[in-house]
């Protein structure tokens, strides 16, 4: 099957889950969007997600000082859309294990989800210091892909999310630095296409088109991609190996195509069609409920700033 027809198979899977107990003390909503909209956790959840959360909670309650138990409890809560409670768990983890970069890595992710970009950056900079001179390692997936092969690493995820947080601040110089480091930590083609996608967009936003083209040197149509098909196909677009219209047709009816929609809109933006790009972003924000997806947040940032 050609990559273009697999775009949505692993694209920002957003699970609908019940409001967690932590919301009672943190308020009825998770965050406020940059456009002033209150953002709520979904109202329903799949049985498997609840089962995983129950097991993670049991493990945590049995040994609340265990770093792995803290990490998985916080991650499983986060998958319910209760990001505030997840942040509370990771904050407890930071106090108990201040030298464990994973606590900052996962808390920073959820700070991004609730639009606290400065707090995310602060966490990731701490994590960057903690991993200096340390061996890299594969990071287990919370939602395994079709092959059951985790494709990201601890170092790569720390740099990647730091780059995203800087990008969402429109600090493109620092975002480029972080994504370049994330690219160095890549172990699978999936990592190469995901980091290259952001690097390309950053360079185009900076007006460095020649450098952006150079960044695509390692992209080819025969790459063995396991899950990051949206980023892969966008990189093929940037390299001229698929057309804009092909990708636009594939994503037109998808409620979950945040990364693809944002990439296509951005293609219009730095191609000189800014108004059309912003209209695409606004339309997507109006229709989608997947407000924690990175493409959704990036579109929200652009609409709020331009």
């Amino acid at each position: 099957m050609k990559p273009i027809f697999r775009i949505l198979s692993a694209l920002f899977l957003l699970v609908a889950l019940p409001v967690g107990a932590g919301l009672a003390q943190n308020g009825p909503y998770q965050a406020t969007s940059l456009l002033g909209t209150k953002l709520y956790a979904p109202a329903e959840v799949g049985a498997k997600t609840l089962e995983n959360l129950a097991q993670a909670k049991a493990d945590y309650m049995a040994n609340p000082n265990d770093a792995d138990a803290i990490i998985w409890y916080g991650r499983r809560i986060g998958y319910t859309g209760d990001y505030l409670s997840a942040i509370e768990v990771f904050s407890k983890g930071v106090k108990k294990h201040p030298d464990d970069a994973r606590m900052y890595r996962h808390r920073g992710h959820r700070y991004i989800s609730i639009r606290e970009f400065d707090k995310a950056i602060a966490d990731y900079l701490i994590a960057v210091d903690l991993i200096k001179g340390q061996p890299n390692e594969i990071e287990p997936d919370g939602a395994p892909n079709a092959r059951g092969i985790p494709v990201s690493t601890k170092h790569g995820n720390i740099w990647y999310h730091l780059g995203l947080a800087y990008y969402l601040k429109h600090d493109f110089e620092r975002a480029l630095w972080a994504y370049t480091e994330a690219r160095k930590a890549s172990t699978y083609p999936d990592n190469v296409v995901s980091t290259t996608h952001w690097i390309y967009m950053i360079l185009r936003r900076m007006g460095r088109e020649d450098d952006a083209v150079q960044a695509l040197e390692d992209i080819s149509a025969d790459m063995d991609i396991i899950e990051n098909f949206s980023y892969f196909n966008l990189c093929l677009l940037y390299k001229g190996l698929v057309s804009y219209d092909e990708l636009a047709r594939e994503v037109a009816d998808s409620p979950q195509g945040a990364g693809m929609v944002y990439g296509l809109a951005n293609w219009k933006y730095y191609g000189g069609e800014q108004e059309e790009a912003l209209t695409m972003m606004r339309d997507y924000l109006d229709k989608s409920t997947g407000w924690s997806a990175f493409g959704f947040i990036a579109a929200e940032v652009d609409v709020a700033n331009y």
Side-chain angles (χ1 to χ4, degrees), residues 72-91:
W72 278 108
Y73 186 39
R75 290 182 71 176
R76 296 298 184 190
I77 291 174
Y79 299 154
T80 71
D82 187 356
Y83 304 129
L84 297 176
S85 293
I87 288 170
E88 288 182 3
V89 171
F90 294 131
S91 294

Side-chain angles (χ1 to χ4, degrees), residues 90-104:
F90 294 131
S91 294
K92 291 177 181 177
V94 165
K95 291 180 180 179
K96 295 175 181 178
H97 302 278
D99 295 327
D100 191 331
R102 297 176 300 167
M103 302 298 173
Y104 305 94

Side-chain angles (χ1 to χ4, degrees), residues 172-206:
F172 296 128
E173 288 285 355
R174 289 188 175 90
L176 180 60
W177 161 65
Y179 274 119
T180 300
E181 293 300 318
R183 173 73 180 264
K184 294 176 184 176
S186 299
T187 56
Y188 283 94
D190 283 78
N191 310 140
V192 174
V193 297
S194 62
T195 54
T196 298
H197 159 71
W198 289 99
I199 288 170
Y200 181 88
M201 291 199 302
I202 291 165
L203 289 168
R204 291 299 305 271
R205 283 292 184 102
M206 296 171 72

Side-chain angles (χ1 to χ4, degrees), residues 53-191:
L53 175 57
Q55 183 60 58
K57 181 177 181 180
D59 293 342
Y60 173 78
M61 296 302 291
N63 194 351
N65 293 317
D66 180 73
D68 288 336
I70 294 168
I71 291 293
W72 278 108
Y73 186 39
R75 290 182 71 176
R76 296 298 184 190
I77 291 174
Y79 299 154
T80 71
D82 187 356
Y83 304 129
L84 297 176
S85 293
I87 288 170
E88 288 182 3
V89 171
F90 294 131
S91 294
K92 291 177 181 177
V94 165
K95 291 180 180 179
K96 295 175 181 178
H97 302 278
D99 295 327
D100 191 331
R102 297 176 300 167
M103 302 298 173
Y104 305 94
R105 173 265 188 272
H106 289 289
R107 186 173 69 173
H109 183 171
R110 292 315 172 193
Y111 276 138
I112 291 174
S113 298
I114 64 169
R115 282 57 171 172
E116 294 280 359
F117 306 139
D118 288 332
K119 290 182 179 179
I121 289 169
D123 269 1
Y124 284 118
L125 289 176
I126 293 171
V128 163
D129 282 340
L130 289 173
I131 63 174
K132 286 179 180 177
Q134 299 298 313
N136 200 3
E137 59 189 36
I138 294 292
E139 184 173 88
D141 285 335
N145 56 50
R147 296 194 207 175
I149 302 174
V151 298
S152 61
T153 67
K154 180 170 73 174
H155 292 194
N157 276 327
I158 288 169
W159 284 110
Y160 184 97
H161 288 80
L162 176 59
L164 175 64
Y166 277 132
Y167 182 94
L168 296 171
K169 293 278 291 182
H170 281 184
D171 187 342
F172 296 128
E173 288 285 355
R174 289 188 175 90
L176 180 60
W177 161 65
Y179 274 119
T180 300
E181 293 300 318
R183 173 73 180 264
K184 294 176 184 176
S186 299
T187 56
Y188 283 94
D190 283 78
N191 310 140

Side-chain angles (χ1 to χ4, degrees), residues 185-242:
S186 299
T187 56
Y188 283 94
D190 283 78
N191 310 140
V192 174
V193 297
S194 62
T195 54
T196 298
H197 159 71
W198 289 99
I199 288 170
Y200 181 88
M201 291 199 302
I202 291 165
L203 289 168
R204 291 299 305 271
R205 283 292 184 102
M206 296 171 72
R208 295 169 56 180
E209 186 170 355
D210 290 343
D211 291 333
V213 172
Q214 184 64 33
L216 300 170
E217 183 178 5
D218 293 333
I219 301 298
S220 64
D222 61 353
M223 297 175 77
D224 182 23
I225 302 301
I226 296 175
E227 62 182 54
N228 286 334
F229 297 111
S230 59
Y231 291 152
F232 179 39
N233 283 284
L234 284 166
C235 286
L236 295 181
L237 168 67
Y238 306 151
K239 200 159 183 174
L241 299 178
V242 298

